[in-house]
């Protein structure tokens, strides 16, 4: 009998738990430890942020589902890792602190045979002075709670605009090394459409602010994509959409401080600038959770497990951009020191960024961090689950399931406005996620045809269809496993 | 605001009948790319 403990119940954690439970006989224990009581379908947060969906539309409580599916659920947060156990406990364990119920505040040693760290990122608002959801007129859509608060503030502003107020709206990244530009991109287009729907578009100046060097970088070094019968750069496609929607942009901006209605940023020229706003949505930087790890004797071994995020089978050797390759990226998400620990999704430490790193003239790193959200999270979690299943069933320690982001496709169906007849979406797929310049030297490291873009109403329907399909899948309803990650 | 998308292109982008077929096409294409497999890179 094996016990698999999964830390986190986001996309990666929940995918791993559901596949493990479906494929493993009941004598094996599947335990989920997460401080969140709800599962949320994060890609739809942007629709909560414009008031077109309610939080209840994008979430469901985990405890009843897990009870029904025989998955043990502890509403607790991981505190420390003990991969060798300790003097009293022979088995490896994590210390978890309960965050709700009668046990709130108490800690427990949760032992395991296999550990999946799917804790995702810490939303590191503290890294930008004055950036906090709902403070200084700046908001976030990173959680459904943040998104709902953002909508309340935007709704108030729309009412003021209807009374004649001219407003400045600033949307983008809130730190020099933020990622998730895609979410901010979706949000700015949805906000723009909502202002038109409320007939106040003329009252607003909308500005995109980003740490990207080019528009459409998305933390993936941009893309060369098929667009109809043309081949177009993602920068050209995003530029076309922004110009058509009357959205101006500031690029290469490392926001480092937010005051009441004022964002301070440094650009690649090393200039210190400010941008004022009446409403802002700025994505914070992501960081690891600051977990500590200890060996059997209680010595600190954090650096064997973490470098911010969790160390996996990537090549972390520092090297210049020109020497980066897809082989640097992990394939199995297994920790090299402790083979029974895995970190799929955002929890693994990437070897480096995907976008070309750039510094300002003052030496400040202004480079998007690599995205690992959404689909890559689901795919990597499933392959980790499949490898653990094989290790348990066949006592085979060789990992057969591999999925490098350098050999994996991804789809980004970006909403550009909500509505069954007035909506729009920008559908982008990319293969591979990390460009392989050796394999595809003439097409910026990606396979054309599999890397394409399309704009239109169908994109909105597709995003909406994915919303319902993935919530169906997450609720583990009949034949849920037929829906791919 | 600078018009970058022509009236004809906009018509195509927003016409529900055309977009219905585009939706079917996109769904299949995305499914093929996403479910089309993944793997390692080091022994390729």
């Amino acid at each position: 009998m094996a016990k698999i403990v999964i830390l986190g119940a986001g996309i990666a954690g929940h995918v791993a738990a559901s596949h493990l439970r479906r494929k493993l006989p009941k004598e094996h224990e599947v335990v989920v430890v997460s401080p969140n009581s709800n599962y949320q379908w994060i890609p739809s947060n942007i629709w909560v942020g414009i008031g077109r969906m309610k939080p209840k539309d994008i979430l469901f409580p985990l405890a009843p589902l897990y009870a029904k599916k025989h998955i043990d659920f502890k509403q607790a947060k991981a505190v420390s890792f003990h991969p060798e156990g300790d003097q009293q406990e022979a088995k490896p364990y994590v210390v978890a602190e309960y965050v709700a119920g009668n046990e709130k505040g108490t800690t427990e040693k949760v032992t395991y045979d296999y550990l999946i760290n799917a804790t995702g990122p810490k939303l590191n608002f503290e890294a930008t002075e004055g950036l906090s959801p709902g403070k200084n007129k700046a908001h976030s859509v990173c959680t459904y709670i943040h998104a709902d608060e953002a909508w309340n503030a935007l709704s108030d502003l729309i009412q003021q605009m209807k009374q004649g107020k001219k407003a400045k709206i600033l949307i983008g990244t809130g730190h020099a090394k933020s990622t998730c530009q895609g979410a901010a991109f979706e949000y700015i287009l949805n906000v723009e459409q909502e202002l038109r729907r409320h007939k106040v578009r003329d009252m607003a100046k909308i500005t995109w602010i980003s740490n990207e060097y080019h528009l459409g970088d998305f933390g993936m070094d941009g893309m060369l994509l098929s667009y109809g019968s043309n081949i177009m750069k993602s920068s050209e496609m995003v530029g076309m959409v922004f110009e058509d929607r009357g959205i101006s942009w500031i690029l290469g901006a490392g926001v480092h401080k937010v005051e009441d209605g004022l964002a301070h940023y440094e650009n690649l020229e090393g200039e210190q600038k400010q941008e004022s706003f009446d409403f802002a949505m700025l994505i914070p930087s992501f960081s690891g959770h600051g977990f500590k790890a200890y060996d059997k004797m209680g010595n600190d071994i954090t650096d064997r497990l973490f470098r911010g995020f969790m160390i996996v089978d990537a090549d972390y050797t520092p090297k210049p951009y020109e020497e980066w390759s897809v082989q640097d990226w992990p394939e199995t998400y297994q920790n090299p020191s402790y083979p029974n620990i895995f970190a799929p999704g955002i929890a693994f430490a990437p070897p480096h960024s995907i976008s070309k790193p750039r510094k300002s003239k003052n030496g400040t790193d202004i480079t998007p961090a690599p995205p690992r959200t959404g689909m890559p999270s689901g795919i990597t979690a499933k392959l980790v689950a499949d490898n653990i299943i094989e290790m348990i069933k066949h006592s085979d320690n060789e990992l057969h399931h591999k999925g490098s982001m350098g050999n994996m496709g991804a789809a980004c169906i970006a909403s550009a406005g909500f509505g069954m007849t007035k909506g729009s979406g920008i559908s982008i797929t990319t293969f591979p996620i990390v460009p392989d310049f050796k394999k595809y030297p003439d097409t910026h490291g990606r396979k054309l045809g599999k890397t394409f873009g399309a704009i239109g109403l169908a994109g909105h329907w597709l995003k909406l269809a994915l919303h319902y399909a993935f919530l169906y899948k997450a609720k583990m309803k009949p034949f849920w496993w037929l829906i791919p990650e | 605001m600078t018009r970058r998308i022509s009236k004809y292109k906009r018509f195509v982008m927003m016409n529900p009948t055309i977009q219905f077929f585009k939706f079917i096409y996109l769904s299949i294409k995305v499914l093929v790319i996403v479910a089309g497999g993944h793997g390692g890179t080091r022994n390729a």
Side-chain angles (χ1 to χ4, degrees):
Chain A
M1 188 194 112
K3 181 178 179 183
I4 306 107
V5 172
I6 300 147
L7 304 178
I11 291 177
H14 188 66
V15 163
S18 50
H19 281 287
L20 284 163
R21 187 67 289 165
R22 186 176 85 84
K23 292 177 180 174
L24 280 177
K26 293 286 183 289
E27 70 257 27
H28 300 293
E29 261 187 279
V30 178
V31 181
V32 172
V33 178
S34 171
N36 300 317
S37 59
N38 294 316
Y39 177 87
Q40 59 168 325
W41 179 242
I42 293 172
S44 296
N45 279 351
I46 49 127
W47 287 334
V48 175
I50 56 162
R52 301 302 292 268
M53 277 193 179
K54 298 288 176 202
K56 67 177 174 55
D57 299 326
I58 67 163
L59 61 82
F60 63 85
L62 286 166
L65 176 70
Y66 284 164
K68 189 173 156 193
K69 298 291 179 182
H70 306 289
I71 296 171
D72 190 10
F73 178 53
K74 298 174 187 296
Q75 198 182 341
K77 63 177 181 184
V79 177
S80 58
F81 289 60
H82 303 260
E84 299 169 9
D86 60 24
Q87 303 279 37
Q88 288 79 43
E89 176 57 65
K91 289 190 80 174
Y93 67 87
V94 288
V95 174
E97 180 185 330
Y98 286 89
V99 298
N102 296 334
E103 296 163 301
K104 186 177 177 182
T106 59
T107 59
E108 179 187 340
K109 289 180 180 178
V110 184
T111 58
Y112 61 83
D113 296 300
Y114 297 92
L115 178 69
I116 299 177
N117 173 19
T119 44
K122 177 189 170 196
L123 301 174
N124 195 13
F125 290 102
E126 300 83 20
T128 305
E129 186 183 340
L131 183 64
S132 179
K135 191 178 158 193
N136 291 328
K137 301 192 182 84
H139 300 269
S140 152
V141 291
C142 293
T143 70
Y144 60 86
I145 296 167
H146 295 170
D148 201 32
E149 288 169 355
W151 165 239
N152 289 335
L154 183 63
S155 176
D156 286 347
L157 186 62
I158 289 172
Q159 293 311 315
Q160 291 171 40
M161 289 158 78
K162 284 180 177 174
Q163 305 300 317
K165 178 184 170 70
K166 293 265 186 186
K168 289 176 83 173
I169 292 173
L170 185 69
I171 293 172
T173 54
H175 189 269
K177 299 181 91 171
S178 295
T179 182
C180 240
Q181 287 78 9
F185 174 64
E186 287 187 87
Y187 192 60
I188 198 169
L189 295 176
N190 273 270
V191 167
E192 195 275 338
Q193 169 144 326
E194 285 306 300
L195 296 187
R196 277 190 278 132
R197 194 169 73 88
H198 288 278
K199 304 190 192 319
V200 292
R201 178 64 184 89
D202 293 344
M203 308 299 286
K205 179 179 187 292
I206 305 179
T207 304
W208 170 254
I209 187 165
S210 174
N211 53 4
E212 301 159 296
Y213 184 67
H214 294 295
L215 284 176
D217 181 284
F218 295 131
M220 299 197 295
D221 217 16
M223 283 153 274
L224 191 66
L225 37 83
S226 313
Y227 181 78
S229 55
N230 301 319
I231 297 171
M232 189 184 259
K233 288 180 181 172
S234 54
S235 56
E236 293 164 348
M237 190 172 82
V238 173
M240 177 182 79
V241 173
F242 276 4
E243 283 188 2
D244 196 67
R245 298 279 195 100
I247 296 169
S248 54
W249 58 84
I250 300 166
L251 296 175
V255 175
H256 56 83
K257 184 178 177 182
V258 176
E259 293 180 311
D260 187 24
L262 193 66
H264 297 261
Y265 67 94
E266 178 182 346
N267 64 17
L268 286 165
E269 291 300 310
E271 300 165 320
Q272 298 292 337
K273 295 195 159 193
Q274 294 89 37
E275 186 68 20
S276 61
F277 57 82
D278 297 286
F279 172 89
M281 197 295 290
L282 299 170
I283 302 279
S285 66
F286 291 176
S287 71
H289 292 268
F291 296 126
K292 289 282 186 187
Y294 300 93
D295 69 7
K296 198 171 187 65
M297 305 306 292
N299 300 312
D300 191 323
I301 53 163
T302 303
D303 59 356
R304 290 175 69 185
L305 259 73
F306 298 101
R307 40 182 292 149
F309 294 98
M310 182 164 261
I311 294 169
V312 292
D313 60 320
D315 180 355
Y316 295 107
T317 313
K319 46 187 146 181
Y321 173 74
E322 291 70 25
E323 292 176 24
W324 291 357
S325 80
V326 287
Q327 282 79 28
D328 300 342
W329 288 79
E331 296 181 329
T332 61
Y333 307 90
Q334 184 182 42
N335 180 264
S337 301
Y338 298 97
N340 59 344
I341 299 180
F342 297 82
I346 307 175
F348 80 83
H352 42 67
S353 64
I354 301 173
S355 301
K356 186 175 182 176
R358 289 183 170 85
K359 285 183 189 290
S360 76
K361 287 182 178 173
N362 301 324
T364 308
D365 269 323
I366 304 179
T367 308
R372 285 98 80 204
T373 48
M375 220 167 62
S377 286
I379 291 172
T380 55
K382 181 168 185 285
L383 76 88
V384 162
D386 285 338
N387 278 328
I388 290 174
I389 290 163
E390 285 194 2
M391 290 165 95
I392 293 168
K393 283 188 174 175
H394 309 299
S395 303
D396 179 3
N397 285 337
E398 193 176 334
L399 306 180
H400 299 284
H401 298 273
K402 294 179 179 177
S404 163
M405 282 169 60
N407 187 7
M408 181 190 297
C412 173
I413 312 301
S415 172
F418 193 96
M420 286 308 287
T421 56
K422 304 281 185 193
S424 182
I426 300 176
S427 311
I428 298 173
T429 65
T430 178
F431 183 91
I433 299 167
V434 176
D436 188 338
F437 292 103
K438 281 188 184 156
K439 212 168 181 179
Y440 309 108
D442 303 326
T443 49
H444 197 65
R446 298 208 173 81
K447 187 181 172 103
L448 279 182
K450 282 188 169 184
T451 303
F452 78 94
I455 306 175
L457 181 57
H460 173 71
W461 294 343
L462 190 54
K463 171 122 182 156
L464 203 58
L466 293 176
H467 166 91
Y468 291 113
F470 280 110
L471 277 173
Y472 181 93
K473 180 182 170 76
K475 288 176 182 173
M476 300 171 77
K477 291 197 171 180
F479 304 106
W480 62 267
W481 64 89
L482 293 175
I483 300 170
E485 313 312 322
Chain B
M1 206 170 289
T2 310
R3 176 172 288 177
R4 288 289 310 273
I5 298 171
S6 68
K7 279 188 177 174
Y8 171 71
K9 282 275 185 197
R10 200 179 301 276
F11 167 78
V12 171
M13 284 175 184
M14 300 308 291
N15 181 282
T17 308
I18 297 169
Q19 289 297 310
F20 173 75
F21 291 103
K22 185 91 178 176
F23 171 73
I24 304 290
Y25 169 75
L26 279 176
S27 302
I28 294 167
K29 186 151 185 174
V30 166
L31 192 68
V32 166
I33 291 169
V34 172
H38 47 79
T41 55
R42 292 173 193 158
N43 297 320

